[in-house]
Amino acid sequence: MSAQATQQDADLTVVIGLEVHVQLETETKIFCGCSTDADESEPNTNTCPVCLGLPGALPVLNEGAVEAAVKVGKALDSEIPEETRFHRKNYFYPDLPKNFQITQYDEPICQGGELEVTVEGDRRGIGIERAHLEEDPGSLQHVGGSIDTADYTLVNYNRAGVPLLEIVTKPDFRSPDEVRAFLAKMEEVLEYLGVFDSTRDGSLRVDANISLIEADKRDGELGEEALAAANRTEVKNISSHKGAEKALAYEVTRQRNAIQRGRGVEQETRHWDESRGITVSMRSKEEEKDYRYFEEADLPPLQVADWKERIDIPELPAARRERFREEYGLGEEAASKLTSTKQVADFYEDVAEAFDPDLAATWVADNLLGELNYRDMAITDVADRLDEFTRLVELVDEDEITVKNAEEIVLREMLDEGEDPDTVVEREGLEKTGGDAVASAVADAIDENPDAVEDYHDGQDDALNFLVGQVMAATGGSADPGTVNQLLREQLAD
Ligand code: ADP
Ligand code: MG
Ligand code: ZN
C-alpha cells in the first residue's frame, strides 16, 4: 500500500444508518385474524383472503399492534402524533401477494427519538428518525442455492401480515461494533416492553446503509450535505447482531478498497450471504418514486394522541439499574448484571423481598447466573423454580448449611438433577450439626486428646488446628469451622 493510500485511508469516516424490522408479538396478524405462529404451522395454512390479497378482502387494523408500537415509541422517546395513516407501497415481488405492502409513509406512528448505547465504556445516543407499522411479506425459501444461484424458490404466506415495526435510525453509527451494541440494546428494550420474542426465527431483520465519507477535518462532524452526497450501499438480509457486524465489516473493507483503487462505490442494494460471509450486488437501489406510494383508502386515519397517555410501559433497563443502585444499595456491576434482562431483574426482586439485598445479589448475580452460564442455561430455565431457589438462600441465611456446601453441592445438584434443595441436603447429609452436638463433639475432642490440649496450653498453634480437625471429622464436616474454633478456645480457656 502506498503512503498516499494510507493517508487517504485514515481520512475516511464510516457512516452507518439502520432500518430495523421488528416483528411485534401479537396473537393475530396486523390486518386479519390469522395466527402469527408462522413457524409452528404447515406452510400456507395461516392464511385468509386478507393476507393472501384476494380481490375484495378488506383489512382491519389490529389494536394490539398499534399498542405495541406506541410502547416502543414511548421507550425511544419518540413523538406520537395526533394522527397516523397508512399507505400502499407498490412493488412486484413473489412474497407480496397484493403486489403492494400496507405500510406508513409521511405520518408514521413514531417520529424522532433516541436510544443510548454503551460501547467500550462510552455512552452514545443514536438518533431515531422514525418507526412505522407495516405488514411482513411472506417468506421465500431458495432451494438448491442462495438467492442468486437457487434452482427454484418456495413461498410461504404464513408470515404475510405479521405486524412489523420498521425502526429507522439516523446515520449516527461510526463503526460496525456500535451497530452490534445498538441491536443488543434494542432487543433488550423490546423484550422489557413485552412486545417482542427474540427466540422467534427472523423476528429481527436489519437493512444496513453504509458509506465511507471523507471526514471534514475542521470539526470532525459530518454535515447533512456530505451525508446526502455520499454513495451508499444498503445491505439486506441481515438477521442477527453478529451478522450485522460481520456484513458491515465486510462492506467497510470492500468500499475502502473500491475508493482506494479509484473505482468509487456504486449506490446499490446488496445482499448479505451469511454462509459465504460476503455481500453480493442485487440491484441498483430503488428510489422513493419507484414505490408509487399512495394512501391506503381501506384504512381510515387513526387518532393516536391519547393512546400515549393511556398506555403504560414498564420500567426500562437503564431506569431499573439506577433504582437497583438506590433502593438496594448495589454497586454498578451487580446492578447491571441484575438488570441485564427483565427476567433476571424480576427474579432478583423476588429473592430480595425475603432477604438482605446484598445476600440476594450475591446469590442471583454471582452464584446462580454463574452456574447457569456454565451450563449454557438461562434464567428462563429456572424461572418457575423461584421457590426452590429462595429456600436454598434461606438454608444459608438461617445457618442450616454452610455457604460452601450450598454453592458447591446443593445449587449444582439442583441444576444438574432438577432436585429441590431439601432433598439434596438430606441425601448428602449436609445439615449443619446443631449447637449442642458441636459443643459435645468439642468436649469429646478435648477429653480424648490430652496431649494436644497440653501442647495448646504450651502455645503450639498446630494443636488447635488438630483439635478442629478432630471435631470436623466427628461431625462429618457439617460443623462450621469458625464456630468450632471459637468453642474450642472457649472450652480450653476454662
Ligand atoms: P432511503 O429513502 O433511500 O431509504 P432514507 O433517508 O430513508 O433513505 O435513509 C435510510 C437509511 O439510510 C437511514 O437509516 C439513514 O440513517 C441511512 N443513511 C442516510 N444517509 C446515509 C449515509 N451517507 N451513509 C449511510 N447511511 C445513511
Ligand atoms: Mg429506506
Ligand atoms: Zn389472514
Side-chain angles (χ1 to χ4, degrees):
M1 194 184 286
S2 72
Q4 194 193 352
T6 315
Q7 177 60 36
Q8 199 176 9
D9 197 47
D11 290 343
L12 290 171
T13 299
V14 174
V15 175
I16 300 166
L18 301 181
E19 294 158 271
V20 185
H21 301 84
V22 173
Q23 282 185 343
L24 297 173
E25 217 190 346
T26 53
E27 296 276 306
T28 54
K29 294 184 179 181
I30 185 166
F31 299 124
C32 62
C34 291
S35 163
T36 51
D37 248 341
D39 299 340
E40 322 272 275
S41 316
E42 283 290 298
N44 297 306
T45 55
N46 291 349
T47 54
C48 74
V50 174
C51 55
L52 287 177
L54 301 187
L58 290 172
V60 176
L61 180 60
N62 178 348
E63 213 178 272
V66 180
E67 272 188 25
V70 170
K71 285 184 184 170
V72 178
K74 286 183 80 164
L76 297 178
D77 241 340
S78 303
E79 181 162 341
I80 312 288
E82 288 285 314
E83 183 177 283
T84 184
R85 240 174 235 280
F86 290 88
H87 272 71
R88 293 183 178 184
K89 178 181 183 179
N90 296 277
Y91 62 98
F92 186 71
Y93 204 62
D95 60 8
L96 202 65
K98 299 192 292 288
N99 288 336
F100 64 83
Q101 179 189 33
I102 303 180
T103 180
Q104 301 196 287
Y105 179 51
D106 52 356
E107 291 176 84
I109 186 151
C110 306
Q111 304 176 6
E114 190 183 79
L115 185 68
E116 199 180 77
V117 293
T118 307
V119 182
E120 287 171 9
D122 286 340
R123 287 196 189 175
R124 285 202 50 208
I126 301 293
I128 304 294
E129 184 74 46
R130 57 188 266 150
H132 61 258
L133 277 167
E134 61 188 26
E135 55 183 339
D136 209 347
S139 46
L140 300 176
Q141 192 189 333
H142 306 293
V143 181
S146 53
I147 191 168
D148 51 341
T149 58
D151 298 327
Y152 59 94
T153 296
L154 298 170
V155 62
N156 179 359
Y157 290 119
N158 282 352
R159 203 181 71 183
V162 168
L164 278 190
L165 188 69
E166 177 174 336
I167 303 164
V168 182
T169 76
K170 296 207 154 62
D172 284 352
F173 300 95
R174 293 293 172 266
S175 69
D177 58 336
E178 286 179 3
V179 169
R180 186 172 174 175
F182 175 88
L183 293 174
K185 188 65 187 288
M186 180 64 81
E187 258 196 31
E188 186 182 293
V189 169
L190 294 168
E191 292 209 309
Y192 253 79
L193 294 173
V195 300
F196 176 71
D197 177 4
S198 67
T199 63
R200 204 148 89 174
D201 227 16
S203 55
L204 183 136
R205 288 153 8 229
V206 180
D207 296 344
N209 301 269
I210 172 166
S211 61
L212 264 54
I213 302 182
E214 222 163 301
D216 184 331
K217 296 293 276 191
R218 276 166 307 163
D219 56 3
E221 288 279 312
L222 291 165
E224 300 263 326
E225 267 170 51
L227 290 170
N231 268 4
R232 63 180 196 257
T233 58
E234 179 170 358
V235 185
K236 292 197 178 274
N237 189 45
I238 300 171
S239 57
S240 69
H241 311 175
K242 224 185 178 158
E245 195 179 14
K246 280 202 245 165
L248 287 166
Y250 178 88
E251 269 303 288
V252 169
T253 308
R254 193 189 66 80
Q255 292 192 13
R256 184 167 280 161
N257 285 340
I259 292 168
Q260 283 172 358
R261 294 185 186 139
R263 278 202 314 271
V265 173
E266 297 276 339
Q267 179 110 339
E268 62 177 355
T269 300
R270 298 180 71 87
H271 176 92
W272 168 238
D273 188 329
E274 177 92 55
S275 58
R276 287 189 283 174
I278 58 170
T279 66
V280 291
S281 176
M282 280 169 82
R283 56 178 185 258
S284 62
K285 193 173 164 358
E286 310 82 354
E287 289 179 35
E288 200 171 284
K289 63 179 189 310
D290 297 328
Y291 292 124
R292 302 177 331 277
Y293 279 98
F294 61 88
E295 236 173 80
E296 171 55 82
D298 292 336
L299 290 166
L302 184 70
Q303 311 301 320
V304 276
D306 64 320
W307 289 50
K308 193 173 179 181
E309 273 36 85
R310 196 162 54 72
I311 293 168
D312 284 327
I313 59 170
E315 189 182 25
L316 294 169
R320 201 167 192 186
R321 188 179 60 224
E322 283 316 302
R323 180 168 63 78
F324 275 24
R325 297 189 59 173
E326 280 177 22
E327 189 175 330
Y328 301 114
L330 302 178
E332 170 84 33
E333 197 188 329
S336 290
K337 251 192 194 175
L338 290 170
T339 50
S340 58
T341 71
K342 182 171 187 302
Q343 285 85 354
V344 169
D346 289 345
F347 197 94
Y348 169 72
E349 293 215 274
D350 284 335
V351 178
E353 227 169 69
F355 307 102
D356 172 69
D358 271 334
L359 181 71
T362 303
W363 274 90
V364 177
D366 298 340
N367 300 342
L368 180 60
L369 291 183
E371 295 291 335
L372 287 173
N373 191 27
Y374 180 71
R375 287 165 178 74
D376 249 338
M377 291 166 76
I379 195 83
T380 42
D381 296 318
V382 294
D384 60 346
R385 298 177 68 194
L386 175 70
D387 289 348
E388 292 178 24
F389 186 76
T390 308
R391 171 68 183 146
L392 170 62
V393 181
E394 183 180 67
L395 287 168
V396 176
D397 196 38
E398 298 192 342
D399 231 9
E400 290 183 43
I401 57 178
T402 65
V403 174
K404 190 169 182 322
N405 284 339
E407 284 174 13
E408 292 176 8
I409 301 177
V410 185
L411 177 57
R412 291 178 187 174
E413 294 285 297
M414 282 171 70
L415 297 178
D416 290 336
E417 308 299 331
E419 291 172 323
D420 69 81
D422 288 298
T423 304
V424 181
V425 168
E426 190 172 328
R427 177 163 44 75
E428 304 288 328
L430 301 178
E431 193 166 347
K432 254 195 202 173
T433 310
D436 289 353
V438 176
S440 81
V442 166
D444 288 350
I446 290 173
D447 284 349
E448 287 162 16
N449 299 285
D451 291 349
V453 172
E454 204 179 310
D455 290 346
Y456 172 78
H457 288 304
D458 287 345
Q460 292 185 30
D461 286 346
D462 279 357
L464 186 67
N465 291 339
F466 170 78
L467 290 169
V468 171
Q470 295 301 300
V471 177
M472 292 308 288
T475 56
S478 62
D480 180 64
T483 312
V484 172
N485 207 297
Q486 165 110 22
L487 283 173
L488 276 167
R489 283 177 195 278
E490 283 168 14
Q491 293 198 21
L492 287 166
D494 292 341

